[in-house]
Amino acid sequence: MIFDTMMVIALCILMLAILANLYRVVKGPSGADRVQALDTIGINLIASIGVFSVLLHTHAFFDLILLIGILSFIGTVAFARFIERGVVIERKR
Amino acid sequence: MSGSGEVVGAVLILFGAVVSLISAIGVVRLPDVYTRSHAASKSSTLGVLCALVGTLLYFIITDGYFSIRLILGIFFVFLTAPVAAHVLCRSAYRNQVPLAEGTTEDELQDYYMENEKDDAGNKLNLSIEMDKGPNP
């Protein structure tokens, strides 16, 4: 019972962290700020999926941890290339 | 249900959540892109690693279930989050995002003016100013 309460408290703290990052996504003056905050939101989502699978006592969501990690990394690198060069995939010369 | 295993997992998970919250406070309060990226990449990576290791230990101790997928997820996050922050900071620097107001020295600027070239082969003309406006 106390254990479940601690897990719910951890989920609430993670949601507060996601809300703070969402403030930076809305307000951030440059594009890199917004992409960095979105990447951090993805990482916090990974942590909250881990806490949620402990709370529900199931193994079914461990694939999602790997999947969200890969998708968040690919999206961040694509946006960084877009900010830096203007294109994501360059043409062969 | 064994009590001690739950305690180890819960302490690690709570520690990870608190470190993630500290990272988010840093993202809100710090003055420019580079310091915010510093806060966001390092401490939120530590937070998610602690939370996932707590999850792994909880399932090992209570169920005897050792998850290779979770190990792969931890390893992947540990490998890629600093790389993503590095790529983003480099793109912000090359895009001339201003530094914070109190910055006294920008050593990267001299290096970039001498060595880096843009796609057409011309020398980059980087003129990054300190942020003079109202603090965002």
Side-chain angles (χ1 to χ4, degrees):
Chain A
M1 192 58 207
I2 293 177
F3 182 76
D4 285 352
T5 315
M6 285 172 81
M7 287 303 105
V8 173
I9 289 173
L11 271 181
C12 290
I13 293 174
L14 283 170
M15 289 308 122
L16 275 180
I18 288 181
L19 274 182
N21 279 307
L22 208 57
Y23 167 79
R24 184 49 69 191
V25 172
V26 173
K27 182 140 185 295
S30 71
D33 275 315
R34 298 191 165 97
V35 181
Q36 178 73 58
L38 281 174
D39 185 50
T40 313
I41 284 178
I43 286 180
N44 283 335
L45 269 183
I46 294 173
S48 45
I49 286 173
V51 180
F52 204 64
S53 63
V54 169
L55 189 59
L56 294 184
H57 206 278
T58 173
H59 306 156
F61 300 135
F62 288 168
D63 291 331
L64 290 185
I65 290 174
L66 200 50
L67 190 65
I68 292 182
I70 292 171
L71 283 182
S72 165
F73 176 65
I74 291 176
T76 306
V77 170
F79 264 113
R81 286 182 72 91
F82 179 70
I83 291 172
E84 191 171 346
R85 306 246 169 89
V87 290
V88 177
I89 300 173
E90 290 183 7
R91 209 177 289 151
K92 287 261 172 69
R93 312 238 158 130
Chain B
M1 286 286 185
S2 69
S4 62
E6 288 187 348
V7 168
V8 173
V11 166
L12 269 175
I13 286 173
L14 268 182
F15 178 71
V18 169
V19 171
S20 288
L21 183 63
I22 291 172
S23 144
I25 292 172
V27 167
V28 170
R29 284 187 55 91
L30 285 173
D32 70 350
V33 185
Y34 311 103
T35 48
R36 280 197 284 263
S37 170
H38 178 85
S41 65
K42 286 173 188 56
S43 47
S44 80
T45 306
L46 176 67
V48 71
L49 282 184
C50 282
L52 289 185
V53 168
T55 309
L56 185 74
L57 283 181
Y58 173 80
F59 278 107
I60 286 176
I61 292 173
T62 57
D63 283 2
Y65 177 77
F66 183 77
S67 172
I68 296 294
R69 289 173 289 176
L70 206 47
I71 288 282
L72 271 179
I74 292 171
F75 186 68
F76 194 82
V77 170
F78 189 54
L79 211 61
T80 58
V83 178
H86 161 76
V87 171
L88 268 172
C89 272
R90 194 182 60 186
S91 74
Y93 193 86
R94 290 184 66 145
N95 230 5
Q96 305 178 11
V97 176
L99 301 172
E101 196 174 347
T103 311
T104 56
E105 198 168 359
D106 184 9
E107 291 186 346
L108 196 55
Q109 189 171 5
D110 299 334
Y111 177 79
Y112 263 44
M113 295 281 270
E114 287 175 9
N115 295 335
E116 287 280 315
K117 294 182 171 52
D118 62 359
D119 291 336
N122 300 318
K123 283 200 171 181
L124 282 178
N125 186 17
L126 282 178
S127 56
I128 298 182
E129 300 292 327
M130 306 302 164
D131 197 2
K132 292 295 195 302
N135 211 353

